[in-house]
Amino acid sequence: MLTERLSYLPEELPSFRPCPAARERAGWARLPGSARQRLLAAGEAEAARPLAPLPLSLWLDFIRTGQRAEWEAACFSRRARLCALAAAECVEYQGRFLDAIADTVWAICEESAWQLPAHNSYVRDTPQLALPDTARPLIDLFAAEAGALLATVHYLLGPELEAAYPGLASRMEREIRARILTPYLHDHFWWMGNGDEPMCNWTSWCTQNVLLCFFLLPNVSQEERHAAVEQAAYSLDCFLKDYGPDGCCNEGAQYYRHAGLTLWGALHILSAAAPDAFGPVFAQPKIKNIAEYILNVHVDGPYYLNFGDCSPLAGRCGAREYLFARAVGSPALAALAAADFAADPDPDHLTAQDPSSRINLWYRLLTAFTEAELLAQPRGESVPVPDVWYPSVGVFAARRGGWVLGAKMGSNGDSHNHNDTGSVTVYKDGRPFLIDIGVESYTQKTFSPQRYEIWTMQSGWHNLPTFDGIMQLPGREYAAQDIQLGQGSISAELAGAYPPIPGLTSYRRTAAVTEAGVTLTDETDWPGEVELTLMTEHQPQPCEGGLALGELGVILLGDSAEISVQPVPVSDPRLRTAWPFTIWKISLYFYKQIHLTLA
Protein backbone atom coordinates (compact mmCIF):
# COMPACT_ATOMS: atom_id res chain seq x y z
CA MET A 1 0.00 0.00 0.00
CA LEU A 2 2.71 2.49 0.99
CA THR A 3 5.63 1.20 -1.05
CA GLU A 4 3.46 1.63 -4.13
CA ARG A 5 3.34 5.35 -3.35
CA LEU A 6 7.11 5.85 -3.29
CA SER A 7 7.15 6.79 -6.97
CA TYR A 8 5.29 9.97 -6.00
CA LEU A 9 8.01 11.17 -3.61
CA PRO A 10 9.28 14.68 -4.33
CA GLU A 11 13.00 15.35 -4.56
CA GLU A 12 12.84 17.65 -1.54
CA LEU A 13 11.40 16.29 1.72
CA PRO A 14 10.89 19.25 4.07
CA SER A 15 11.32 19.26 7.82
CA PHE A 16 8.30 18.42 9.95
CA ARG A 17 6.69 21.31 11.84
CA PRO A 18 4.30 19.85 14.40
CA CYS A 19 3.72 23.25 16.05
CA PRO A 20 5.49 26.60 16.36
CA ALA A 21 9.00 26.52 17.80
CA ALA A 22 9.31 28.21 21.19
CA ARG A 23 10.68 31.44 19.71
CA GLU A 24 7.56 31.81 17.52
CA ARG A 25 5.60 33.50 20.26
CA ALA A 26 2.50 34.35 18.26
CA GLY A 27 1.76 30.67 17.74
CA TRP A 28 2.10 29.83 21.42
CA ALA A 29 -0.02 32.84 22.39
CA ARG A 30 -2.93 31.25 20.51
CA LEU A 31 -3.09 28.29 22.88
CA PRO A 32 -6.26 28.14 25.00
CA GLY A 33 -5.77 29.41 28.52
CA SER A 34 -6.64 26.00 29.93
CA ALA A 35 -3.84 24.36 27.94
CA ARG A 36 -1.33 27.01 28.95
CA GLN A 37 -2.21 26.66 32.63
CA ARG A 38 -2.08 22.88 32.47
CA LEU A 39 1.32 22.78 30.75
CA LEU A 40 2.79 25.37 33.08
CA ALA A 41 1.53 23.60 36.20
CA ALA A 42 2.99 20.27 35.00
CA GLY A 43 6.35 21.90 34.37
CA GLU A 44 6.42 23.52 37.79
CA ALA A 45 5.56 20.20 39.44
CA GLU A 46 8.39 18.42 37.63
CA ALA A 47 10.88 21.18 38.40
CA ALA A 48 10.23 20.57 42.10
CA ARG A 49 11.09 16.88 41.82
CA PRO A 50 14.62 15.47 41.78
CA LEU A 51 16.00 13.72 38.73
CA ALA A 52 15.64 9.95 39.17
CA PRO A 53 18.90 7.98 39.34
CA LEU A 54 19.47 4.99 37.06
CA PRO A 55 22.24 2.89 38.65
CA LEU A 56 23.55 -0.28 37.07
CA SER A 57 22.10 -2.34 39.92
CA LEU A 58 18.64 -1.20 38.89
CA TRP A 59 19.26 -2.27 35.27
CA LEU A 60 20.47 -5.67 36.46
CA ASP A 61 17.32 -6.18 38.53
CA PHE A 62 15.60 -7.54 35.44
CA ILE A 63 18.26 -10.20 34.84
CA ARG A 64 18.58 -11.08 38.51
CA THR A 65 14.94 -11.12 39.62
CA GLY A 66 12.82 -10.77 36.48
CA GLN A 67 11.37 -7.51 37.79
CA ARG A 68 11.29 -4.56 35.42
CA ALA A 69 9.04 -2.03 37.13
CA GLU A 70 11.63 -0.02 39.12
CA TRP A 71 14.00 0.65 36.22
CA GLU A 72 11.11 1.57 33.97
CA ALA A 73 9.55 3.89 36.56
CA ALA A 74 12.82 5.78 36.98
CA CYS A 75 13.56 5.85 33.25
CA PHE A 76 10.08 7.04 32.33
CA SER A 77 10.10 9.64 35.08
CA ARG A 78 13.12 11.30 33.46
CA ARG A 79 11.36 11.46 30.12
CA ALA A 80 8.07 12.67 31.61
CA ARG A 81 10.07 15.35 33.42
CA LEU A 82 11.65 16.56 30.19
CA CYS A 83 8.26 16.62 28.43
CA ALA A 84 6.72 18.76 31.14
CA LEU A 85 9.68 21.11 31.51
CA ALA A 86 10.04 21.73 27.78
CA ALA A 87 6.33 22.40 27.28
CA ALA A 88 6.27 24.79 30.25
CA GLU A 89 9.27 26.72 28.95
CA CYS A 90 7.60 27.05 25.55
CA VAL A 91 4.48 28.45 27.22
CA GLU A 92 6.31 30.93 29.45
CA TYR A 93 9.56 31.51 27.51
CA GLN A 94 11.41 33.27 30.28
CA GLY A 95 14.25 30.77 30.80
CA ARG A 96 12.91 29.68 34.18
CA PHE A 97 12.96 26.00 33.24
CA LEU A 98 16.08 25.90 31.10
CA ASP A 99 18.48 24.68 33.79
CA ALA A 100 16.20 21.78 34.68
CA ILE A 101 15.70 20.99 30.98
CA ALA A 102 19.46 20.99 30.40
CA ASP A 103 20.05 18.73 33.42
CA THR A 104 17.49 16.24 32.15
CA VAL A 105 18.72 16.33 28.56
CA TRP A 106 22.27 15.79 29.77
CA ALA A 107 21.23 12.86 31.94
CA ILE A 108 19.40 11.16 29.07
CA CYS A 109 22.35 11.73 26.74
CA GLU A 110 24.65 10.20 29.38
CA GLU A 111 22.58 7.01 29.69
CA SER A 112 24.51 3.99 28.40
CA ALA A 113 21.45 2.77 26.55
CA TRP A 114 17.97 3.98 25.75
CA GLN A 115 16.34 0.56 25.39
CA LEU A 116 14.71 -1.18 28.34
CA PRO A 117 16.49 -4.09 30.07
CA ALA A 118 13.50 -6.23 29.09
CA HIS A 119 14.14 -5.41 25.41
CA ASN A 120 17.93 -5.82 25.40
CA SER A 121 18.15 -8.43 22.66
CA TYR A 122 19.10 -8.11 19.00
CA VAL A 123 17.17 -11.19 17.83
CA ARG A 124 13.42 -11.48 18.28
CA ASP A 125 12.20 -13.73 21.10
CA THR A 126 15.67 -14.55 22.39
CA PRO A 127 16.97 -14.08 25.97
CA GLN A 128 17.98 -10.58 26.93
CA LEU A 129 21.65 -9.72 27.27
CA ALA A 130 22.80 -8.80 30.75
CA LEU A 131 24.24 -5.41 29.79
CA PRO A 132 23.73 -3.07 26.85
CA ASP A 133 26.41 -2.96 24.16
CA THR A 134 27.23 0.75 24.00
CA ALA A 135 29.09 0.21 20.72
CA ARG A 136 26.00 -1.23 19.05
CA PRO A 137 22.91 0.88 19.81
CA LEU A 138 19.65 -1.02 19.81
CA ILE A 139 16.37 0.59 18.74
CA ASP A 140 13.46 -0.73 20.76
CA LEU A 141 10.18 1.00 21.62
CA PHE A 142 11.71 3.27 24.20
CA ALA A 143 14.98 4.03 22.49
CA ALA A 144 12.81 5.34 19.66
CA GLU A 145 10.70 7.26 22.19
CA ALA A 146 13.82 8.81 23.74
CA GLY A 147 15.11 9.83 20.33
CA ALA A 148 11.78 11.38 19.38
CA LEU A 149 11.62 13.25 22.69
CA LEU A 150 15.09 14.76 22.31
CA ALA A 151 14.38 15.59 18.67
CA THR A 152 11.16 17.38 19.65
CA VAL A 153 12.94 19.33 22.41
CA HIS A 154 15.66 20.25 19.92
CA TYR A 155 13.03 21.46 17.44
CA LEU A 156 11.29 23.55 20.10
CA LEU A 157 14.23 24.92 22.07
CA GLY A 158 17.43 24.04 20.21
CA PRO A 159 18.70 27.64 19.74
CA GLU A 160 17.83 28.58 23.32
CA LEU A 161 19.63 25.54 24.73
CA GLU A 162 22.69 26.08 22.54
CA ALA A 163 22.91 29.74 23.55
CA ALA A 164 22.65 29.00 27.27
CA TYR A 165 24.71 25.79 27.24
CA PRO A 166 27.07 25.88 24.25
CA GLY A 167 27.43 22.42 22.75
CA LEU A 168 24.32 20.89 24.35
CA ALA A 169 22.08 21.05 21.27
CA SER A 170 24.92 19.64 19.19
CA ARG A 171 25.30 16.83 21.72
CA MET A 172 21.61 16.03 21.38
CA GLU A 173 21.99 15.78 17.61
CA ARG A 174 25.03 13.50 17.90
CA GLU A 175 23.28 11.17 20.32
CA ILE A 176 20.14 10.92 18.19
CA ARG A 177 22.24 10.28 15.10
CA ALA A 178 24.37 7.62 16.80
CA ARG A 179 21.52 5.84 18.57
CA ILE A 180 18.64 6.21 16.08
CA LEU A 181 19.46 7.57 12.62
CA THR A 182 22.59 5.55 11.85
CA PRO A 183 21.33 2.19 13.23
CA TYR A 184 18.01 2.65 11.44
CA LEU A 185 19.71 3.17 8.09
CA HIS A 186 22.39 0.49 8.48
CA ASP A 187 21.03 -2.27 10.74
CA HIS A 188 17.92 -4.39 10.65
CA PHE A 189 15.76 -4.73 13.73
CA TRP A 190 13.03 -7.35 13.67
CA TRP A 191 10.21 -4.80 13.96
CA MET A 192 11.25 -3.21 10.66
CA GLY A 193 9.61 -6.09 8.80
CA ASN A 194 10.85 -9.14 6.98
CA GLY A 195 8.56 -10.60 4.33
CA ASP A 196 5.75 -12.63 5.85
CA GLU A 197 7.09 -12.48 9.42
CA PRO A 198 4.25 -11.27 11.66
CA MET A 199 4.59 -7.76 13.06
CA CYS A 200 2.90 -6.05 16.00
CA ASN A 201 2.54 -2.56 17.48
CA TRP A 202 6.32 -2.25 17.69
CA THR A 203 6.45 -1.68 13.93
CA SER A 204 4.19 1.36 13.69
CA TRP A 205 5.21 2.70 17.11
CA CYS A 206 8.96 2.61 16.49
CA THR A 207 8.54 3.81 12.91
CA GLN A 208 6.53 6.86 13.98
CA ASN A 209 9.16 7.94 16.49
CA VAL A 210 12.10 7.26 14.19
CA LEU A 211 10.42 9.44 11.55
CA LEU A 212 10.12 12.24 14.10
CA CYS A 213 13.90 12.05 14.54
CA PHE A 214 14.58 12.22 10.80
CA PHE A 215 12.16 15.07 10.13
CA LEU A 216 12.58 17.24 13.25
CA LEU A 217 16.36 17.45 13.33
CA PRO A 218 17.76 20.21 11.11
CA ASN A 219 20.96 18.59 9.82
CA VAL A 220 19.57 15.46 8.18
CA SER A 221 20.37 15.11 4.48
CA GLN A 222 17.80 14.56 1.77
CA GLU A 223 19.46 11.24 0.97
CA GLU A 224 18.96 10.13 4.58
CA ARG A 225 15.35 11.27 4.65
CA HIS A 226 14.55 9.46 1.42
CA ALA A 227 16.14 6.28 2.72
CA ALA A 228 14.19 6.57 5.97
CA VAL A 229 10.91 7.10 4.12
CA GLU A 230 11.51 4.07 1.93
CA GLN A 231 12.25 1.89 4.94
CA ALA A 232 9.26 3.29 6.83
CA ALA A 233 6.94 2.58 3.90
CA TYR A 234 8.13 -1.02 3.75
CA SER A 235 7.80 -1.47 7.52
CA LEU A 236 4.27 -0.05 7.61
CA ASP A 237 3.26 -2.34 4.75
CA CYS A 238 4.58 -5.26 6.81
CA PHE A 239 2.52 -3.98 9.74
CA LEU A 240 -0.64 -3.56 7.65
CA LYS A 241 -0.41 -7.03 6.13
CA ASP A 242 -1.26 -8.50 9.53
CA TYR A 243 -4.52 -6.53 9.74
CA GLY A 244 -7.62 -7.92 8.12
CA PRO A 245 -9.68 -5.65 5.86
CA ASP A 246 -12.00 -5.10 8.85
CA GLY A 247 -9.25 -3.18 10.69
CA CYS A 248 -9.50 -5.07 13.99
CA CYS A 249 -6.55 -4.67 16.35
CA ASN A 250 -5.76 -8.19 17.55
CA GLU A 251 -3.85 -6.72 20.50
CA GLY A 252 -6.97 -5.06 21.89
CA ALA A 253 -8.22 -1.60 22.76
CA GLN A 254 -5.32 -0.58 24.99
CA TYR A 255 -2.80 -1.43 22.28
CA TYR A 256 -4.78 0.45 19.64
CA ARG A 257 -3.04 3.53 21.04
CA HIS A 258 0.31 1.96 20.13
CA ALA A 259 -0.83 0.29 16.92
CA GLY A 260 -3.63 2.10 15.09
CA LEU A 261 -2.79 5.52 16.50
CA THR A 262 0.94 5.25 15.86
CA LEU A 263 0.09 4.15 12.33
CA TRP A 264 -1.78 7.45 12.05
CA GLY A 265 1.25 9.23 13.53
CA ALA A 266 3.63 7.73 10.99
CA LEU A 267 1.26 8.44 8.10
CA HIS A 268 0.73 11.99 9.36
CA ILE A 269 4.48 12.68 9.34
CA LEU A 270 4.92 11.04 5.93
CA SER A 271 1.96 12.97 4.51
CA ALA A 272 3.35 16.25 5.81
CA ALA A 273 6.65 15.54 4.02
CA ALA A 274 5.10 14.12 0.83
CA PRO A 275 1.36 14.86 0.65
CA ASP A 276 0.89 13.62 -2.91
CA ALA A 277 2.58 10.34 -2.07
CA PHE A 278 0.98 9.47 1.24
CA GLY A 279 -2.08 11.68 1.70
CA PRO A 280 -4.27 9.36 -0.43
CA VAL A 281 -3.54 6.43 1.90
CA PHE A 282 -6.02 7.84 4.39
CA ALA A 283 -8.78 7.26 1.83
CA GLN A 284 -8.24 3.50 1.92
CA PRO A 285 -11.20 1.69 3.59
CA LYS A 286 -8.83 -0.48 5.62
CA ILE A 287 -7.23 2.60 7.20
CA LYS A 288 -10.65 3.98 8.14
CA ASN A 289 -11.60 0.62 9.65
CA ILE A 290 -8.39 0.64 11.71
CA ALA A 291 -9.27 4.12 12.96
CA GLU A 292 -12.84 3.21 13.93
CA TYR A 293 -11.95 0.01 15.80
CA ILE A 294 -11.70 1.94 19.07
CA LEU A 295 -15.18 3.37 18.53
CA ASN A 296 -16.66 -0.07 18.02
CA VAL A 297 -15.22 -1.62 21.19
CA HIS A 298 -16.06 1.35 23.41
CA VAL A 299 -18.59 0.55 26.13
CA ASP A 300 -19.28 3.77 27.99
CA GLY A 301 -17.20 6.41 29.75
CA PRO A 302 -13.72 4.99 30.41
CA TYR A 303 -14.63 1.33 29.74
CA TYR A 304 -13.77 -0.79 26.70
CA LEU A 305 -14.38 -4.41 25.78
CA ASN A 306 -11.04 -5.99 26.59
CA PHE A 307 -9.22 -9.25 25.99
CA GLY A 308 -5.63 -10.46 26.09
CA ASP A 309 -3.21 -8.18 27.92
CA CYS A 310 -5.61 -5.22 27.76
CA SER A 311 -7.21 -3.48 30.67
CA PRO A 312 -10.89 -2.49 30.44
CA LEU A 313 -9.67 1.03 31.23
CA ALA A 314 -7.84 1.46 27.94
CA GLY A 315 -7.51 5.23 28.24
CA ARG A 316 -9.77 8.02 27.07
CA CYS A 317 -9.73 9.25 23.50
CA GLY A 318 -8.39 12.69 22.69
CA ALA A 319 -6.46 14.67 20.13
CA ARG A 320 -4.84 11.80 18.24
CA GLU A 321 -8.09 9.88 17.83
CA TYR A 322 -9.77 13.11 16.74
CA LEU A 323 -7.11 13.86 14.16
CA PHE A 324 -7.22 10.28 12.88
CA ALA A 325 -11.00 10.58 12.60
CA ARG A 326 -10.64 13.81 10.68
CA ALA A 327 -8.08 12.26 8.33
CA VAL A 328 -10.28 9.27 7.42
CA GLY A 329 -13.62 11.10 7.55
CA SER A 330 -15.28 9.52 10.58
CA PRO A 331 -17.73 11.91 12.31
CA ALA A 332 -18.65 9.25 14.87
CA LEU A 333 -15.05 8.74 15.99
CA ALA A 334 -14.47 12.49 16.03
CA ALA A 335 -17.53 12.92 18.25
CA LEU A 336 -16.31 10.22 20.67
CA ALA A 337 -12.85 11.79 20.83
CA ALA A 338 -14.25 15.27 21.49
CA ALA A 339 -16.69 14.04 24.14
CA ASP A 340 -13.99 11.97 25.83
CA PHE A 341 -11.57 14.89 25.81
CA ALA A 342 -14.15 17.19 27.40
CA ALA A 343 -14.84 14.61 30.13
CA ASP A 344 -11.18 13.80 30.80
CA PRO A 345 -9.78 15.38 33.99
CA ASP A 346 -6.27 14.47 32.82
CA PRO A 347 -6.12 15.11 29.05
CA ASP A 348 -2.32 14.89 29.03
CA HIS A 349 -2.55 11.48 30.76
CA LEU A 350 0.01 12.48 33.38
CA THR A 351 -1.34 9.90 35.81
CA ALA A 352 -1.94 7.16 33.24
CA GLN A 353 -0.39 3.79 33.88
CA ASP A 354 0.76 3.61 30.27
CA PRO A 355 4.04 5.57 30.20
CA SER A 356 4.03 6.34 26.47
CA SER A 357 1.25 8.86 26.90
CA ARG A 358 3.31 11.00 29.25
CA ILE A 359 6.81 10.60 27.79
CA ASN A 360 5.99 11.60 24.21
CA LEU A 361 6.20 15.37 23.90
CA TRP A 362 4.65 15.34 20.43
CA TYR A 363 1.47 13.83 21.88
CA ARG A 364 1.34 16.59 24.47
CA LEU A 365 1.78 19.25 21.80
CA LEU A 366 -0.97 17.70 19.67
CA THR A 367 -3.32 17.84 22.63
CA ALA A 368 -2.53 21.48 23.40
CA PHE A 369 -2.78 22.72 19.83
CA THR A 370 -5.95 20.71 19.06
CA GLU A 371 -7.73 21.60 22.31
CA ALA A 372 -9.66 24.58 20.97
CA GLU A 373 -11.01 22.55 18.04
CA LEU A 374 -11.91 19.64 20.29
CA LEU A 375 -13.82 21.85 22.72
CA ALA A 376 -15.62 23.57 19.84
CA GLN A 377 -17.18 20.30 18.66
CA PRO A 378 -20.98 20.23 19.14
CA ARG A 379 -22.22 18.05 21.98
CA GLY A 380 -25.06 15.98 20.58
CA GLU A 381 -26.56 12.59 21.26
CA SER A 382 -24.07 9.79 20.62
CA VAL A 383 -24.85 7.75 17.53
CA PRO A 384 -25.77 4.14 18.44
CA VAL A 385 -23.08 1.71 17.35
CA PRO A 386 -24.52 -1.27 15.44
CA ASP A 387 -23.56 -4.86 16.14
CA VAL A 388 -19.93 -5.36 15.20
CA TRP A 389 -18.27 -8.54 13.97
CA TYR A 390 -14.55 -8.60 13.24
CA PRO A 391 -13.91 -11.91 11.45
CA SER A 392 -10.15 -11.33 11.21
CA VAL A 393 -9.78 -11.65 14.98
CA GLY A 394 -13.13 -13.04 16.06
CA VAL A 395 -14.30 -10.07 18.12
CA PHE A 396 -18.03 -9.49 18.50
CA ALA A 397 -19.83 -6.59 20.18
CA ALA A 398 -23.54 -5.88 20.51
CA ARG A 399 -25.53 -3.29 22.46
CA ARG A 400 -29.16 -3.28 23.50
CA GLY A 401 -30.53 -0.69 25.92
CA GLY A 402 -28.14 -0.47 28.85
CA TRP A 403 -26.50 -3.82 28.07
CA VAL A 404 -23.26 -4.43 26.17
CA LEU A 405 -22.08 -7.90 25.20
CA GLY A 406 -18.57 -8.64 23.97
CA ALA A 407 -17.23 -12.01 22.82
CA LYS A 408 -13.84 -13.28 21.66
CA MET A 409 -14.50 -16.01 19.09
CA GLY A 410 -11.15 -16.15 17.31
CA SER A 411 -8.06 -18.13 18.29
CA ASN A 412 -5.36 -18.24 20.93
CA GLY A 413 -2.71 -17.03 18.49
CA ASP A 414 -3.06 -13.26 18.84
CA SER A 415 -0.34 -10.85 19.88
CA HIS A 416 -0.53 -10.32 23.67
CA ASN A 417 -2.72 -13.42 23.72
CA HIS A 418 -4.50 -14.93 26.67
CA ASN A 419 -6.13 -18.33 26.32
CA ASP A 420 -9.58 -16.77 26.15
CA THR A 421 -11.26 -18.10 23.01
CA GLY A 422 -15.02 -18.06 23.52
CA SER A 423 -14.92 -15.81 26.58
CA VAL A 424 -17.57 -13.12 26.99
CA THR A 425 -17.62 -9.81 28.83
CA VAL A 426 -20.82 -8.03 29.86
CA TYR A 427 -21.61 -4.48 30.96
CA LYS A 428 -24.83 -3.11 32.38
CA ASP A 429 -25.49 0.63 32.40
CA GLY A 430 -21.82 1.29 31.77
CA ARG A 431 -20.66 -0.85 34.71
CA PRO A 432 -18.74 -4.16 34.55
CA PHE A 433 -20.94 -7.22 35.06
CA LEU A 434 -18.82 -10.14 33.80
CA ILE A 435 -15.19 -9.10 33.48
CA ASP A 436 -11.94 -9.95 31.74
CA ILE A 437 -9.25 -9.38 34.38
CA GLY A 438 -6.48 -8.26 32.04
CA VAL A 439 -2.82 -8.74 32.94
CA GLU A 440 -0.58 -8.17 35.92
CA SER A 441 2.51 -5.95 35.83
CA TYR A 442 4.95 -7.12 33.19
CA THR A 443 7.91 -9.20 34.37
CA GLN A 444 10.52 -11.34 32.63
CA LYS A 445 8.05 -14.25 32.77
CA THR A 446 5.32 -12.35 30.93
CA PHE A 447 7.04 -12.70 27.56
CA SER A 448 8.80 -16.00 28.08
CA PRO A 449 8.01 -19.68 27.40
CA GLN A 450 6.48 -19.74 30.90
CA ARG A 451 3.89 -17.09 29.99
CA TYR A 452 0.90 -19.38 30.39
CA GLU A 453 1.89 -20.39 33.89
CA ILE A 454 0.64 -16.93 34.89
CA TRP A 455 -2.91 -17.25 36.18
CA THR A 456 -4.35 -14.27 34.33
CA MET A 457 -3.36 -15.86 31.00
CA GLN A 458 -5.27 -19.08 31.65
CA SER A 459 -8.76 -19.89 30.38
CA GLY A 460 -9.77 -21.05 33.87
CA TRP A 461 -9.65 -17.41 34.98
CA HIS A 462 -11.82 -16.21 32.12
CA ASN A 463 -15.54 -16.71 31.58
CA LEU A 464 -14.99 -20.18 30.14
CA PRO A 465 -15.35 -23.88 30.94
CA THR A 466 -12.70 -26.20 32.38
CA PHE A 467 -12.87 -29.99 31.94
CA ASP A 468 -11.50 -31.91 34.93
CA GLY A 469 -8.78 -29.28 35.31
CA ILE A 470 -7.94 -29.16 31.60
CA MET A 471 -7.82 -25.63 30.16
CA GLN A 472 -7.23 -24.12 26.73
CA LEU A 473 -3.83 -24.09 25.03
CA PRO A 474 -2.04 -21.23 23.23
CA GLY A 475 -1.60 -21.14 19.47
CA ARG A 476 -3.50 -20.21 16.35
CA GLU A 477 -4.66 -23.81 15.93
CA TYR A 478 -6.68 -23.56 19.16
CA ALA A 479 -9.66 -21.68 17.81
CA ALA A 480 -13.42 -21.31 17.76
CA GLN A 481 -15.22 -22.97 14.87
CA ASP A 482 -18.61 -22.90 13.15
CA ILE A 483 -19.35 -19.32 14.19
CA GLN A 484 -22.92 -18.18 13.64
CA LEU A 485 -24.19 -14.62 13.98
CA GLY A 486 -27.69 -13.35 14.71
CA GLN A 487 -29.30 -10.11 15.78
CA GLY A 488 -27.45 -9.34 18.98
CA SER A 489 -26.20 -12.92 19.27
CA ILE A 490 -23.23 -15.13 18.48
CA SER A 491 -22.75 -18.88 18.67
CA ALA A 492 -19.59 -20.94 18.23
CA GLU A 493 -18.05 -24.34 18.79
CA LEU A 494 -15.28 -24.07 21.41
CA ALA A 495 -13.99 -27.65 21.78
CA GLY A 496 -11.20 -26.91 19.31
CA ALA A 497 -9.68 -24.35 21.68
CA TYR A 498 -8.78 -27.19 24.08
CA PRO A 499 -6.34 -30.08 23.73
CA PRO A 500 -7.87 -33.46 22.86
CA ILE A 501 -10.00 -34.56 25.81
CA PRO A 502 -11.45 -38.09 25.79
CA GLY A 503 -15.20 -37.88 25.35
CA LEU A 504 -15.25 -34.21 24.32
CA THR A 505 -16.11 -33.46 20.71
CA SER A 506 -18.42 -30.49 21.18
CA TYR A 507 -18.87 -27.49 23.47
CA ARG A 508 -21.29 -25.07 21.91
CA ARG A 509 -21.68 -21.56 23.36
CA THR A 510 -24.46 -19.13 22.45
CA ALA A 511 -24.55 -15.59 23.85
CA ALA A 512 -27.27 -13.05 23.12
CA VAL A 513 -28.18 -9.57 24.33
CA THR A 514 -31.57 -7.83 24.44
CA GLU A 515 -32.79 -4.76 26.26
CA ALA A 516 -33.81 -7.11 29.08
CA GLY A 517 -30.33 -8.57 29.59
CA VAL A 518 -27.89 -11.19 28.37
CA THR A 519 -28.39 -14.93 28.00
CA LEU A 520 -25.59 -17.50 27.89
CA THR A 521 -26.26 -21.09 26.90
CA ASP A 522 -23.55 -23.76 26.88
CA GLU A 523 -24.11 -27.31 25.62
CA THR A 524 -21.56 -30.14 25.53
CA ASP A 525 -21.26 -33.85 24.87
CA TRP A 526 -18.55 -34.31 27.49
CA PRO A 527 -19.75 -36.94 29.95
CA GLY A 528 -18.06 -35.45 33.00
CA GLU A 529 -18.81 -32.50 35.23
CA VAL A 530 -17.93 -29.13 33.66
CA GLU A 531 -16.65 -26.22 35.74
CA LEU A 532 -17.87 -22.97 34.22
CA THR A 533 -16.00 -19.89 35.48
CA LEU A 534 -17.59 -16.45 35.70
CA MET A 535 -15.47 -13.49 36.84
CA THR A 536 -16.99 -10.40 38.45
CA GLU A 537 -15.88 -7.44 40.54
CA HIS A 538 -19.06 -7.64 42.66
CA GLN A 539 -19.38 -10.07 45.55
CA PRO A 540 -22.06 -12.61 44.58
CA GLN A 541 -24.75 -13.38 47.11
CA PRO A 542 -27.27 -16.22 46.89
CA CYS A 543 -30.73 -15.14 45.78
CA GLU A 544 -33.84 -16.83 44.49
CA GLY A 545 -32.90 -18.59 41.27
CA GLY A 546 -29.19 -17.78 41.33
CA LEU A 547 -26.78 -15.08 42.46
CA ALA A 548 -27.15 -11.36 43.04
CA LEU A 549 -24.32 -8.95 42.22
CA GLY A 550 -25.18 -6.21 44.65
CA GLU A 551 -27.49 -3.60 43.15
CA LEU A 552 -26.13 -4.21 39.65
CA GLY A 553 -28.20 -7.27 38.76
CA VAL A 554 -28.60 -11.01 39.03
CA ILE A 555 -27.32 -14.19 37.42
CA LEU A 556 -30.26 -16.56 37.09
CA LEU A 557 -29.64 -20.28 36.53
CA GLY A 558 -32.11 -21.96 34.21
CA ASP A 559 -30.61 -25.37 34.96
CA SER A 560 -29.47 -27.04 38.15
CA ALA A 561 -25.83 -26.41 38.99
CA GLU A 562 -23.61 -26.54 42.04
CA ILE A 563 -22.28 -23.05 42.88
CA SER A 564 -18.96 -22.12 44.43
CA VAL A 565 -17.77 -18.55 45.04
CA GLN A 566 -14.10 -17.70 45.62
CA PRO A 567 -12.65 -14.29 46.54
CA VAL A 568 -9.61 -13.32 44.48
CA PRO A 569 -7.32 -10.76 46.17
CA VAL A 570 -5.97 -8.09 43.82
CA SER A 571 -2.65 -6.62 44.93
CA ASP A 572 -0.77 -6.16 41.66
CA PRO A 573 -0.43 -2.43 40.81
CA ARG A 574 -1.42 -2.88 37.18
CA LEU A 575 -4.58 -4.83 38.03
CA ARG A 576 -5.38 -2.39 40.81
CA THR A 577 -5.82 0.41 38.27
CA ALA A 578 -8.98 -1.34 37.04
CA TRP A 579 -10.29 -3.51 39.86
CA PRO A 580 -11.00 -3.30 43.62
CA PHE A 581 -8.91 -5.11 46.23
CA THR A 582 -11.05 -8.22 45.78
CA ILE A 583 -12.71 -9.64 42.70
CA TRP A 584 -14.74 -12.83 42.61
CA LYS A 585 -14.57 -16.14 40.78
CA ILE A 586 -17.87 -17.96 40.43
CA SER A 587 -17.64 -21.67 39.58
CA LEU A 588 -20.78 -23.34 38.25
CA TYR A 589 -20.59 -27.15 38.07
CA PHE A 590 -22.96 -28.77 35.59
CA TYR A 591 -23.50 -31.69 33.23
CA LYS A 592 -24.31 -31.41 29.53
CA GLN A 593 -26.07 -28.02 29.48
CA ILE A 594 -26.39 -24.78 31.38
CA HIS A 595 -28.49 -21.71 30.65
CA LEU A 596 -27.82 -18.37 32.35
CA THR A 597 -29.74 -15.12 32.29
CA LEU A 598 -28.03 -11.89 33.33
CA ALA A 599 -30.67 -9.38 34.30
Side-chain angles (χ1 to χ4, degrees), residues 76 86 154 189 214 251 254 295 366 521 576-577:
F76 296 152
H154 190 285
F189 301 98
F214 275 95
E251 298 174 292
Q254 197 168 6
L295 170 71
L366 286 170
T521 302
R576 286 285 301 121
T577 63

Side-chain angles (χ1 to χ4, degrees), residues 567-587:
V568 182
V570 178
S571 58
D572 177 78
R574 186 174 180 131
L575 292 181
R576 286 285 301 121
T577 63
W579 306 121
F581 284 106
T582 302
I583 57 177
W584 301 86
K585 179 182 181 181
I586 303 168
S587 294

